[in-house]
Amino acid sequence: MVVACHECDLLHHLKPLPPGGVAKCTRCGAVLHRHKQNSLDRTLSFAVAGLILIVLANTFPFLALKSEGLVQETTLITGVKELYAQDMRSLAVLVFLTSILVPFIYIVGILYVVIPLKRNRLPWRLPSIFRFLRHIGPWGMMEVFMLGILVAMVKLAKMASIVPGVSLYAFVALIFVLAATTASLDSHLVWERLDNAP
């Protein structure tokens, strides 16, 4: 596999690394690749956990507002619908894409790639799908959405009692699980499997 150094653009032919091994650029010494132990197992575990969390985050109530004996529960999709109803359609679409659709596609895509690789098989159209996942990954900006929710909670706390729902906790956990999924996946291993395919 040929890899360009991120610092000086020198091309290197990378060979499979031993457990815990590190490949460095021969010119500038920058780290080209670190071997991630049990990458497929850990990625698969995090992706399955992420799939469960994303179902919980989109099924159960996100927040409940209590004011003068009245209780109003909201879900993630309710917020998108409200933005759309209040003529903020572009914002509604952006929130839907970055906090619901893109994370779901990313998790399902990772499972689509990792499960066959665990069975020593190559998924159909692996290069295209893996590149697509690498491109959409940064668009899953759940932490930005969470920051907006926290700001809204601080402002609404004076008007009503706010009760966090199961979905909120699942959403917070999902942010960390998605980050762990991305960090545990060894992209070099995926390309190596593709190069060594018969």
Side-chain angles (χ1 to χ4, degrees), residues 65-106:
L65 298 175
K66 287 185 178 180
S67 180
E68 298 176 1
L70 296 173
V71 178
Q72 184 177 2
E73 291 183 339
T74 61
T75 60
L76 277 175
I77 202 69
T78 305
V80 173
K81 287 178 182 175
E82 284 300 316
L83 286 171
Y84 194 83
Q86 293 176 18
D87 228 15
M88 292 187 265
R89 292 178 182 149
S90 56
L91 183 59
V93 169
L94 187 63
V95 169
F96 176 73
L97 286 175
T98 58
S99 62
I100 298 173
L101 187 62
V102 169
F104 179 75
I105 290 172
Y106 183 76

Side-chain angles (χ1 to χ4, degrees), residues 182-193:
T182 303
S184 63
L185 180 61
D186 190 344
S187 58
H188 291 275
L189 178 62
V190 175
W191 297 121
E192 276 174 22
R193 294 283 181 94

Side-chain angles (χ1 to χ4, degrees), residues 14 35 42 46 50 57 61 64 69 71-72 74 76 81-82 87 117 129 141 155-156 172 184:
L14 279 189
H35 180 268
R42 288 186 294 123
F46 286 129
V71 178
Q72 184 177 2
T74 61
L76 277 175
K81 287 178 182 175
E82 284 300 316
D87 228 15
L117 290 179
I129 291 169
M141 296 181 277
K155 290 184 177 181
L156 290 171
V172 170
S184 63

